[in-house]
Structure formats: structure tokens, C-alpha cells
Amino acid sequence: MTSHPVPSLEVSGLAYAYPDGTQALFGVDLTIGRGERVALLGPNGAGKTTLVMHLNGILAAGHGSVRVAGLDVRADTMKEIRRRVGLVFQDPDDQLFMPTVREDVAFGPANLGMRGAELDSRVRDALERVGMLDAIDRPPHHLSFGQRRRVAVATVLAMEPEILVLDEPSSNLDPAARRELAEILRKLDVTVLMVTHDLPYALELCERSLILSAGVIAADAPTRDLLSDADLLSAHRLELPYGFAVPAV
Amino acid sequence: MSAGHHHQLYRPGDTVVHRLPPQCKLLAAAGFAVAVVATPRESFWAFAAYAVMLAAVAAAGRVPPGFVLRRMVIEVPFVLFAVAIPIIGLGERVEVLGVSLSVEGLWAGWNILAKATLGVVASILLAATTEPRMMLLGAQRLRLPQLLVQIAMFMLRYMDVIMDEMRRMRVARESRGFVARDVRQIPVLAKSAGALFIRSYERGERVHLAMLSRGYTGEMPIIRDMSASLRQWGAAGLLPGLAAATAVLSWSLT
């Protein structure tokens, strides 16, 4: 990856109201530089999912703009935007819809027109990066939950995205699977935006965190500083788990 | 991978029949069924010939007779229907073992039974030697409407997920003391079915989003090489070819 002055993700003044009139985002501004790993924290209902849906154009901005590596999210750039933004959904059963792992990981690059040996090596490479190459010919529903989540990450890695967006990556994982996923994510050399309310996980993986609360970015600081500020956390319905303290450096 | 992981209709193997591309097998089975249906019901010898052809396919695909017989249970409703026709049929009657049967009904019953059995056995052999998803890829290759193929593909993929959800709902009902004893419990079950429908519908929406996110534009990309050689088409054409010849011969002899 080359050092590039253009940030991976730029969101400015993004506002959105659902068709029923519920306003979910009230002007979100954020910038994520290339190669950064950033956590997006926020209580349920803060608009996290709504924001994520804007990043690859599933929802169209009511106001403001989203740019991915300098490219505006618009109807005519959608195909390229969806290649650049790799969205990993919370439930891997929603993400893995093909009969075998191989076909599922190939789905994205094949939609980009890739075929044959090139496609095959892309699929193998993506599975290798998440340590799931052995499962290449297995049906997704025969894998464990943690394995499915890793394959779900591979399905978007295969598109060589500019930025990987993970929605609650640690949810429903047992402690070992949670750690394994963290190790994999740490090794990837892509920009990561991790949407979560698992604060220790954010601390473990992300230098920097944003707090999205009531449809605006309420804080943007090093994760360690945010998590040490009990008043800030409680103002936005965030809490560290019982017995957890931010470890000293 | 354990045997339990395979679909129960499929019998894994690596025979000549297993290796044929699915689109060839699909067309072969359909062609065979058409030839069988087009055969006059009086040509007993022709039906015997069809049975021999299927036996040859089963032998080539190493599908044991017991496997086929067990799966033929699906035909039972048709058999019952076929057995009933001679009894309730009209017209000229004959005595068989003290029972008065309609001659026309006997012919009709035989006709249904023989043709349905041959068709069912051909389908069982097709399913036993072709993985379900390969069957769908074959159908896609044969230009069946994309939408139908995709719906079937998703059904295949999400069957287990939905069954699992159904099982969890049943456990949740029973954990709170629910027992389905008689019709009075139907409303509860109906509501569960409704909830399951809504959950599946919502899952469908989420899956669609996931597909859009990875560049889906309405068509499933075919990523594997599904082309069939002339030799393979020739091999697969053997069954419907022989069957068609038999059907033509049976018409010219009547």
C-alpha cells in the first residue's frame, strides 16, 4: 500500500431522515486516513447502522457528502464505491448466501468481472488472510459461528477494498473466537472502521475512536482517552464492562 | 466431511454418471420422461425396455436398488390413486379374484403407475448422482429464468437456517408450557408461522443488502467452468436417444 494524501473516508455534513420522517443523522463529519483503524462507538439507536449504510451507497445522503478515497458516493460511482467499501454485516448468515465458501468469496470479485485463475487466486488469498483456506469447499452453514464471521471478512477482502467496515465484529463470539478475529484484523493492512459497543475490543484494536450519539459525532480522540473519561462515556450511554479498567500504558 | 453433511437424496460418488455435467443430465432425464409418456400404454415390452435402461444407468452410477426403492416412497399417493381407478372406473368390467374391475380403469391405472414409476426412478437417479447445487447451476446453464434459479438456490442455502429458527421457536414455546394437543392450539402455531415468515422476510432484505454491497446487479456470476464436451452430451444423450427410439418403435408396432 502506498502512502497517499487522500484519506480513505471523508464524511462531511451528512444528514439523513428515514422516509417516515425520523431523523437519524444530523450532520456527521469524520475523516479516516489511509491505514488507520478507527472504532465507531455509540449506544443502540445512535445512528451507527444508518451511517454505515451511507458508506457504500445503500442509503443516499439526504444532505452532505461521503467520499471514499476521493470518490464521491453517487449513483454513477456506485459500482466502484461498492468495491472500495467492504461491509461486513453483523450476522454472517446474511453475508454468506452462496452454497460453498469458495463461491461466496468469489461472488464479489466475479461481479467485478474477474474469472478463471485470477479469480481463484484472489479467493484463496482472501481465505488465507483469515485463516480459512481449509474450509474453501465447505458449505457455510456447517462452519462454527466464529469461522463464519472470518469467512464473511474474507468475502469483502476478496474485493480488495479501500476500507473495511465491520458491524459489531465481536458480537456472539466466544472468547477464543473473539481473540482469533482480533489477531486477524490486526494483521490486515487495510483501513478499518469498526462499529461496536464492545469498548475493550475497540481499545484492543483501534488507536482512535469516534462516539456517535444522537446523530452527530460527539467525540473524536484516542480510544484510551475516551475510555478513561467516565463522564463522557456515561453521557452517551456507554459503559466499560464490570471489573474492566483501561490498562496503564 | 461426514456423510450426514450431504443432502439425503444425493449419493456421493465418482462414476461416469456423477461426472457428467448437470445440464446434460437434466436434459437427459427430461427427454427420457417425454419419451416414456409418449409411449402407448399397450406396449408392455417398451416399458420393460425403459426399466432396463434405468437399471443400466443405476449400475453405471453405482446406485444400489435399495437406495432407489426407499426413495420411491414419494410415489405412494400416486399408487393409491392408480389402484383406486379400476375400482371406481366405469364401462366394461372383469372379475379379478372376485372383485369386479373396470377394464378401462385397469388400463388407466397401469398407464399412470408405469409411467409415473419410470419418471420417479429417473428423477431419483438424477438426484442421487447430482448435487443439488450442481443441479441448479445446470438449470442456470440451460437458461432457466434467473430469478427461479436464484430463488431455489437461496432456498437450498437458507433451509437449515430457517429450520433452526423454527426449532428455536418451538423450544421457546414448549419451555413456557405449551403443548399442541388439539385444534385450540392452532392459533398459537399460526402466529409462530407468521413470525417465522416475517423473520425470514427480514433476513431476505438483509441478504439482499449484503449482495448489493458486493456488486450484485441482478445476475449470479457463474464462476466455474460448466461447459460440456460433445462426448459428454453424447453419453448423456444415450438414455433419451434409446428411449425415443423405443417410443417411435412402439407406435409403429401398434
Side-chain angles (χ1 to χ4, degrees):
Chain A
M1 204 166 278
T2 54
S3 62
H4 207 279
V6 182
S8 284
L9 180 68
E10 276 177 288
V11 177
S12 62
L14 181 67
Y16 181 78
Y18 278 97
D20 67 356
T22 319
Q23 183 95 13
L25 300 176
F26 292 87
V28 171
D29 294 284
L30 64 93
T31 303
I32 296 176
R34 190 166 267 205
E36 263 195 296
R37 268 203 307 267
V38 178
L40 180 67
L41 312 174
N44 287 340
K48 298 193 299 283
T49 307
T50 311
L51 176 57
V52 166
M53 297 289 195
H54 279 88
L55 301 185
N56 74 347
I58 286 173
L59 292 180
H63 217 276
S65 70
V66 178
R67 290 162 77 85
V68 181
L71 186 67
D72 261 312
V73 176
R74 282 196 319 260
D76 57 323
T77 57
M78 210 58 92
K79 193 172 176 182
E80 176 60 15
I81 289 293
R82 287 184 175 157
R83 187 196 66 73
R84 290 187 187 189
V85 179
L87 222 59
V88 180
F89 289 79
Q90 194 172 343
D91 183 349
D93 273 328
D94 295 343
Q95 182 121 21
L96 306 177
F97 44 78
M98 296 293 275
T100 63
V101 167
R102 178 197 300 272
E103 285 163 281
D104 217 303
V105 178
F107 181 85
N111 277 329
L112 300 174
M114 210 174 270
R115 292 291 184 277
E118 193 191 8
L119 178 63
D120 193 56
S121 75
R122 184 70 81 89
V123 169
R124 294 180 154 275
D125 179 55
L127 284 170
E128 183 87 73
R129 287 164 83 185
V130 299
M132 289 299 295
L133 190 53
D134 292 343
I136 188 162
D137 283 315
R138 298 185 60 186
H141 53 282
H142 292 155
L143 303 175
S144 76
F145 196 86
Q147 289 174 319
R148 268 182 280 168
R149 175 140 309 145
R150 274 148 67 188
V151 173
V153 172
T155 62
V156 299
L157 283 181
M159 300 181 77
E160 301 200 330
E162 168 78 25
I163 179 167
L164 194 61
V165 181
L166 301 148
D167 191 3
E168 296 291 356
S170 62
S171 66
N172 289 327
L173 294 183
D174 61 28
R178 185 173 180 278
R179 177 185 47 75
E180 284 160 8
L181 184 67
E183 281 163 10
I184 287 161
L185 293 176
R186 204 178 289 118
K187 267 189 288 183
L188 298 176
D189 55 347
V190 293
T191 312
V192 171
L193 178 66
M194 193 172 108
V195 178
T196 187
H197 37 218
D198 181 345
L199 303 184
Y201 214 53
L203 179 64
E204 195 182 337
L205 286 167
C206 305
E207 279 276 292
R208 178 182 157 211
S209 288
L210 311 168
I211 293 179
L212 182 70
S213 184
V216 291
I217 298 291
D220 178 352
T223 310
R224 175 172 294 279
D225 297 354
L226 287 185
L227 299 200
S228 307
D229 188 341
D231 294 336
L232 176 72
L233 292 183
S234 71
H236 301 293
R237 280 189 68 79
L238 290 169
E239 279 176 25
L240 290 169
Y242 175 76
F244 184 88
V246 178
V249 190
Chain B
M1 204 189 286
S2 74
H5 278 175
H6 289 287
H7 197 268
Q8 52 178 345
L9 284 176
Y10 179 64
R11 196 182 151 79
D14 188 29
T15 68
V16 115
V17 188
H18 283 83
R19 279 195 302 268
L20 278 179
Q23 66 269 33
C24 304
K25 286 189 271 187
L26 274 169
L27 272 192
F32 176 80
V34 169
V36 167
V37 171
T39 305
R41 60 192 186 187
E42 292 82 7
S43 304
F44 293 113
W45 64 270
F47 292 105
Y50 294 140
V52 170
M53 289 173 207
L54 289 181
V57 172
R62 303 251 163 79
V63 183
F67 182 91
V68 177
L69 280 176
R70 272 198 305 282
R71 275 149 191 83
M72 280 175 69
V73 175
I74 193 162
E75 206 196 337
V76 165
F78 294 94
V79 175
L80 292 178
F81 182 60
V83 167
I85 296 175
I87 301 167
I88 56 177
L90 303 171
E92 190 190 337
R93 298 186 88 81
V94 286
E95 286 282 313
V96 181
L97 301 172
V99 185
S100 160
L101 298 174
S102 147
V103 174
E104 184 52 35
L106 274 173
W107 276 115
W110 150 254
N111 192 31
I112 290 176
L113 198 61
K115 291 177 177 176
T117 306
L118 288 166
V120 165
V121 172
S123 315
I124 291 170
L125 291 177
L126 174 66
T129 57
T130 317
E131 275 184 89
R133 63 193 189 86
M134 291 305 285
M135 198 105 74
L136 291 173
L137 289 177
Q140 190 174 13
R141 179 89 192 180
L142 290 174
R143 307 265 160 89
L144 244 70
Q146 273 274 346
L147 211 55
L148 291 182
V149 175
Q150 287 180 27
I151 289 171
M153 244 174 207
F154 287 120
M155 192 184 73
L156 205 61
R157 164 66 181 88
Y158 285 101
M159 187 104 81
D160 286 348
V161 175
I162 290 172
M163 293 292 270
D164 206 46
E165 233 158 301
M166 203 161 85
R167 190 185 50 76
R168 284 202 303 271
M169 288 167 81
R170 184 176 54 79
V171 169
R173 278 197 308 267
E174 289 174 6
S175 313
R176 284 184 280 158
F178 175 82
V179 189
R181 251 184 254 96
D182 53 52
V183 288
R184 278 170 303 167
Q185 271 83 44
I186 285 181
V188 175
L189 294 177
K191 277 173 200 144
S192 295
L196 190 65
F197 173 78
I198 290 173
R199 281 193 199 184
S200 305
Y201 185 86
E202 287 175 346
R203 182 180 294 281
E205 286 188 322
R206 292 197 304 273
V207 170
H208 185 235
L209 283 184
M211 293 171 72
L212 288 179
S213 301
R214 283 196 276 151
Y216 174 74
T217 50
E219 257 182 54
M220 286 303 212
I222 297 187
I223 58 159
R224 62 174 71 219
D225 182 21
M226 294 280 294
S227 56
S229 66
L230 272 179
R231 266 189 60 186
Q232 287 171 317
W233 276 114
L238 224 52
L239 176 70
L242 285 173
T246 310
V248 169
L249 194 62
S250 66
W251 274 107
S252 55
L253 291 180
T254 42

